[in-house]
Amino acid sequence: MYTTPFDYHRASSVQDALQMLADNPDAKLLAGGHSLIPTMKLRLASPSALIDISALDELRGIRTDGDTLILGAGVTHSELLYDKTVAEYAPLMPDMARWVGDPMVRNRGTVGGVVAHADPAADYPAGLLTLGAQFKLKSASGERVVGVDDYFLGMFETALQEGEIVTEIHIPRQVGKGAYEKFRHPASHYAIVGVAVVASPEGVKVAMTGAGPKAVRLSQVEAAIGSDLSEENIKRATENAVDAGSLLSDRFASAEYRAHLAGVLARRALMRVR
């Protein structure tokens, strides 16, 4: 299907994009476009204008500030996958990036696009929960920083307000090992269930994506594991990892099957970080 007619604007800077958004609240930002363009073709979204921010150097780049990894919102999945600084500071990120789409999607899609779109089956939200990420949001009136626990609110719903842009993702240096395991839809490659784990001397953080309206921490598993990563304890802690009553049931998988997958994938990820 064809999209409805729209205007196209190429932003020259973040400030230029923000001004365009302020002038036309119905406009949408275009970065990688892998989520926006298909919804426009199906006419699930019909913005009057697209504001292209894909070439803005302000949104690119990977750097560090002390023990914090700073990712520009325009960083692609492929850059996350192969960048040595990312591998050193947050090795869970490339472990998730390898699961995203296919090479064409990884070469164009951006981490900021995933964060802004908040698809409930996206990979990064679960990992960002375990890593304690923060998001820098910019509007015409200023900047603010929102922690990951307060950012993802529901299905395609975030703390982003009208006229704001995600400009950076801040990730504290990962202490300990991390792993991401995923059971994906064979066509879209989105997660039917995905589980991210970070294990550090302070304990284990476990989060799940794909099974509900947003990524969530599996606090029951975290409490059951504690600091005991023995094979027996991992098996015991993941046997009933999730209550099926809280999960999605659709044509791809029932809630009961997703609950089973959550336990299996949590066990695999925890065994990898042992």
Side-chain angles (χ1 to χ4, degrees), residues 51-64:
I51 302 169
D52 192 341
I53 58 173
S54 62
L56 296 183
D57 289 338
E58 295 171 78
L59 298 179
R60 304 300 294 271
I62 297 167
R63 68 184 194 278
T64 60

Side-chain angles (χ1 to χ4, degrees), residues 118-122 125-126 152-157 191-194 207-218 242-250 253-255 258-259 262:
D119 193 301
F152 294 108
L153 304 179
M155 189 174 292
F156 302 107
E157 184 183 5
I192 292 176
V193 177
M208 174 182 66
T209 189
K214 64 174 184 174
V216 294
R217 290 272 292 275
L218 298 184
V242 185
D243 177 10
S246 64
L247 305 185
L248 295 175
S249 185
D250 54 28
S254 67
R258 281 189 164 97

Side-chain angles (χ1 to χ4, degrees), residues 1 9 11 13 25 45 50 67 69 76 96 144 147 151 174 186 197 199 215 227 236 238 254 265 269 272:
M1 185 181 290
H9 307 285
S13 66
L50 294 184
D67 283 336
L69 174 69
T76 66
M96 292 187 295
R144 64 190 181 111
Y151 180 82
Q174 183 179 330
V197 169
S227 58
R236 181 170 53 252
T238 56
S254 67
L265 297 173
R272 282 180 57 201

